[in-house]
Amino acid sequence: MHFSKLLLLSAATLSLAHPGEKHDPHVLKREIHARDALAARSKRALDACANTEHAKRLQQRTVSRRARTVRELRNARGITTSPKKWRRSSDDLEKWEAVNHNMTGLVDISSENPDVSIFAGNTSAILAPTITDGPYYVWGEISRQHVVEDEYCDGVDLYLEVQYIDVETCQPIKGAYVDIWNANATGVYSGISTSGNYAAGGWDSTYLRGIQETDSDGVVSFQSIFPGHYDGRATHTHLLTHLNASVNDNNGTLAVGTGTVAHIGQLFWNEALRSAVEDTYPYNTNTQDITSNADDMWSVEQASSAYDPFPDYVYLGNDLKDGLFAWKQIGINVSADYTDNSYYSIAAYYDENGGHQNSDSAAFGGGQEGGMPSGSAAPSGPIPSSTAV
């Protein structure tokens, strides 16, 4: 692990990140050691279940589903040109990033026999490291697959599939609720109105945020846009996973205070793809400084010797304007609970009356770093159901 990189980050670099992203490096080091010990135990469990018949059948379904999804997306968008293909291999962050991501050929994914080498990805259920949810997590995101709204969402279309696997059994995790959120093309998060991030619409805005329940194969899918960058952080997409949570009666989102937080993670995007996106409109109007993956304060913690923090992806056509399909498999420990961990911090709530700041959050000077607020900041009413705009 690259502790030296984390510890040598200058105060100036840390101060550029959004307010609230402050964690003690010594605490991080201890948690990483504990994480590595858990990963070693999980590896032994994986060795026992990875070659079972149910694991092989799951992989076959996964490959077929991803290939079918890309064909359907291409057909729906009227794309007939051959897509570009990029492939990844695995190692620590520097080695992950050093993998050649130039075009490796043209692939006919309209074939009835999808190429396993494209869509198989990493199907070994490797334990994904847990890191911070950042200072802008909002409880009460709208239950929806399509998180792109009419305003403030211009950008490269991103169709993202994430699959969750139990690292102890290699079985898919059904019924988990997964939050997704990321900055828009100009580096602004919705739902937050504070120094460093004044969202149009303020606390009431919801663009590029949503939540979905995993299906029988442990899969959630979102239609979003490729995230924009902002000062002090590499380009990334947030994910947070709840287990055993209750849903509000009106089919909105999760009831406050229910379930456990089994995983908090961020997907990073390799520099070749990020650079290509940044050359397009409206990303090229973003005046904030760009931070590389190598200089990010969290990318080195999200990566491990076995876990690749970058999703696999294909261009749906031969140009970014046609959109991207990306996929990632995340292995988690279902008995873990980060509800009271400093990595878990709720910045705001969204309910039937709109958005509300959580004044207890450490991101806004409160004393609480994780879990539910100590006061009455949490809304008591149900969260409204909603469909995508």
Side-chain angles (χ1 to χ4, degrees), residues 86-106:
W86 274 259
R87 293 191 57 201
R88 295 201 49 77
S89 63
S90 50
D91 215 329
D92 283 322
L93 179 70
E94 288 82 0
K95 296 179 183 178
W96 293 110
E97 195 59 75
V99 172
N100 181 10
H101 292 97
N102 290 330
M103 186 177 67
T104 56
L106 295 175

Side-chain angles (χ1 to χ4, degrees), residues 108-330:
D108 179 11
I109 54 177
S110 63
S111 169
E112 292 302 316
N113 298 303
D115 189 344
V116 174
S117 67
I118 306 171
F119 294 110
N122 188 338
T123 55
S124 60
I126 293 168
L127 181 67
T130 287
I131 63 172
T132 180
D133 66 358
Y136 295 152
Y137 171 59
V138 176
W139 182 285
E141 293 177 1
I142 299 170
S143 179
R144 58 183 178 177
Q145 182 182 53
H146 193 309
V147 301
V148 177
E149 298 182 2
D150 283 347
E151 294 185 295
Y152 317 114
C153 294
D154 290 343
V156 173
D157 287 335
L158 173 64
Y159 302 86
L160 177 64
E161 176 196 288
V162 186
Q163 184 176 40
Y164 288 85
I165 304 294
D166 183 339
V167 295
E168 296 290 335
T169 65
C170 297
Q171 295 277 9
I173 300 173
K174 179 182 178 181
Y177 285 90
V178 181
D179 283 300
I180 188 173
W181 70 103
N182 60 257
N184 69 3
T186 54
V188 179
Y189 287 92
S190 69
I192 303 294
S193 182
T194 190
S195 177
N197 193 103
Y198 289 106
W203 301 101
D204 293 335
S205 56
T206 59
Y207 57 84
L208 304 180
R209 292 181 181 269
I211 191 168
Q212 283 281 287
E213 183 181 10
T214 57
D215 64 15
S216 59
D217 277 342
V219 173
V220 288
S221 299
F222 292 97
Q223 181 177 344
S224 185
I225 65 167
F226 191 87
H229 71 268
Y230 54 88
D231 289 348
R233 288 300 317 277
T235 301
H236 61 281
T237 300
H238 290 274
L239 295 169
L240 192 147
T241 310
H242 310 263
L243 296 181
N244 303 311
S246 299
V247 180
N248 287 294
D249 292 338
N250 63 351
N251 294 321
T253 62
L254 307 186
V256 172
T258 66
T260 61
V261 177
H263 183 258
I264 308 168
Q266 298 177 24
L267 299 179
F268 290 84
W269 302 91
N270 69 67
E271 298 292 347
L273 178 59
R274 182 198 59 74
S275 296
V277 172
E278 294 285 356
D279 287 338
T280 68
Y281 179 84
Y283 299 90
N284 56 12
T285 68
N286 188 342
T287 59
Q288 300 187 68
D289 291 337
I290 294 174
T291 299
S292 69
N293 288 318
D295 291 332
D296 185 80
M297 64 187 295
W298 289 110
S299 59
V300 292
E301 311 311 332
Q302 185 68 96
S304 72
S305 59
Y307 182 77
D308 180 355
F310 304 111
D312 288 296
Y313 61 90
V314 292
Y315 281 39
L316 292 175
N318 59 9
D319 192 277
L320 278 169
K321 68 181 181 181
D322 294 322
L324 297 163
F325 174 67
W327 62 95
K328 189 67 184 168
Q329 186 181 82
I330 295 179

